Amino acid sequence: MGILFYMIQDIYPLKLHNEYLPRSPRQGDYLFAFAGSQVIVKPDETFFRYEDLAAYSSFVYLFEINSTGFFLIEEPEAAHVSLNIRQMRSYKPKHLGFAAVTAWQLYTWMNDNQYCGRCSYPMVRHKKERAMRCERCGNIVYPKISPAVIVGVVNEKNQILVTKFAHSTYKHYALISGFAEIGETIEETVIREVKEETGVDVEHLHYYKCQPWAFSSTMLFGFFCRVKGDDRITLDENELKEAIWAERTDDIESPDNSSLTSEMIRLFRKGMVSFDEL
Ligand SMILES: [Zn+2]
């Protein structure tokens, strides 16, 4: 079943070490610089390493993968090349693509929290934790991670509910998805999102896997479930352009297999998810 394990965070046998143990950069460590949604790279589209830019004075420790360190730096002044953060989904070697999106998530979080939301004083990086701290009022802000769901709904005919977004650059079929709202459990999110987007009721929720999704600072929880009762679709046209029941043989896979959505669709197409077993 090796074919299933392609998600962007699946970098085994390498391992992300996100324990906050800041250290100075050393030879071989990677340096990431970003400008908005662009990742700054060398002309050959590889990432800067410490030996390339050792003359820099400011390195912000992010994390390690095995014993290699990853640091954030200011955008280099010399002429440079950049790649969009979305291109990191298929970057090779894969663990550096995962490192880049995780670093970008931290970069955007730091950028969005330069000032205290409580008293508007400039924030500084906390010395002992991965956090931003206000030196005036003591407010501490940790990286924001928002829970959301990806839902594979299966009907009695063993078809799966797939959708296309109304307002997105993503043109392929996707599963139902949405953010948890305040006051609800993640199971309630699943039931509410499917109902809101397609009018379909679901039951027999089975948790599959989760995925940290840096692009939206999200933790995605993947569920498969059964239709409860009528499987007629009532489309939420504000959110979706299309929602259909797809067969296992239908061409609904996206070309990029870094996401939980594509892994769940592949699992369904291989016959590994069926109504009777949910
Ligand atoms: Zn403050």
Side-chain angles (χ1 to χ4, degrees):
M1 283 309 152
I3 193 163
L4 295 173
F5 303 112
Y6 281 139
M7 285 194 283
I8 194 165
Q9 77 278 12
D10 293 330
I11 59 168
Y12 182 85
L14 298 176
K15 185 174 182 337
L16 171 71
H17 292 283
N18 58 6
E19 307 90 325
Y20 192 65
L21 298 168
R23 62 167 175 81
S24 300
R26 55 188 183 227
Q27 187 146 352
D29 285 345
Y30 285 93
L31 310 177
F32 287 122
F34 301 97
S37 56
Q38 296 297 114
V39 190
I40 313 302
V41 291
K42 294 199 271 188
D44 63 359
E45 300 192 352
T46 61
F47 298 110
F48 290 103
R49 304 188 85 153
Y50 179 61
E51 47 275 31
D52 300 318
L53 297 168
Y56 267 54
S57 57
S58 174
F59 302 93
V60 178
Y61 175 79
L62 299 175
F63 48 77
E64 288 186 336
I65 290 181
N66 285 18
S67 58
T68 303
F70 291 81
F71 293 80
L72 189 64
I73 56 166
E74 292 291 316
E75 189 179 343
E77 281 177 22
H80 58 248
V81 176
S82 70
L83 300 173
N84 189 277
I85 191 68
R86 294 267 160 190
Q87 291 175 261
M88 296 298 115
R89 289 176 64 161
S90 50
Y91 190 86
K92 298 283 182 304
K94 183 181 155 184
H95 73 282
L96 295 181
F98 174 57
V101 301
T102 307
W104 183 80
Q105 181 174 358
L106 290 169
Y107 155 80
T108 50
W109 161 68
M110 285 179 213
N111 238 3
D112 290 350
N113 289 280
Q114 295 178 60
Y115 298 94
C116 178
R118 188 187 290 166
C119 78
S120 72
Y121 197 73
M123 302 280 270
V124 294
R125 281 188 301 282
H126 198 295
K127 290 188 172 56
K128 294 183 179 155
E129 297 183 282
R130 188 177 285 106
M132 301 292 280
R133 181 174 175 278
C134 175
E135 289 187 306
R136 184 158 77 182
C137 78
N139 184 21
I140 295 177
V141 177
Y142 296 96
K144 183 189 76 176
I145 301 170
S146 305
V149 295
I150 301 285
V151 194
V153 186
V154 178
N155 68 10
E156 259 181 301
K157 288 170 260 176
N158 280 316
Q159 298 167 316
I160 196 165
L161 186 54
V162 290
T163 63
K164 283 188 177 178
F165 299 113
H167 316 284
S168 172
T169 52
Y170 191 75
K171 299 297 175 207
H172 302 283
Y173 280 109
L175 299 175
I176 301 280
S177 62
F179 286 100
E181 298 277 1
I182 55 159
E184 68 185 7
T185 65
I186 205 74
E187 290 84 0
E188 287 168 336
T189 308
V190 169
I191 294 166
R192 178 183 53 74
E193 282 292 340
V194 179
K195 183 75 177 174
E196 278 179 7
E197 294 191 8
T198 63
V200 171
D201 290 306
V202 295
E203 62 182 355
H204 292 223
L205 277 58
H206 284 251
Y207 172 69
Y208 172 56
K209 279 185 186 176
C210 68
Q211 177 177 43
W213 193 243
F215 304 98
S216 48
S217 290
T218 308
M219 176 65 80
L220 298 169
F221 293 86
F223 282 85
F224 285 105
C225 54
R226 280 184 181 192
V227 166
K228 180 183 177 185
D230 195 348
D231 72 354
R232 200 174 336 152
I233 296 167
T234 312
L235 194 65
D236 173 2
E237 290 175 358
N238 291 322
E239 297 254 339
L240 301 176
K241 184 169 73 180
E242 190 183 340
I244 58 162
W245 289 107
E247 304 285 345
R248 296 193 200 280
T249 49
D250 287 343
D251 182 23
I252 52 170
E253 280 185 44
S254 75
D256 167 3
N257 49 27
S258 63
S259 74
L260 178 59
T261 295
S262 30
E263 182 168 306
M264 288 172 68
I265 289 176
R266 286 205 312 284
L267 208 67
F268 166 77
R269 292 193 74 225
K270 286 179 184 300
M272 294 166 71
V273 181
S274 64
F275 185 87
D276 289 339
E277 287 166 18
L278 286 171

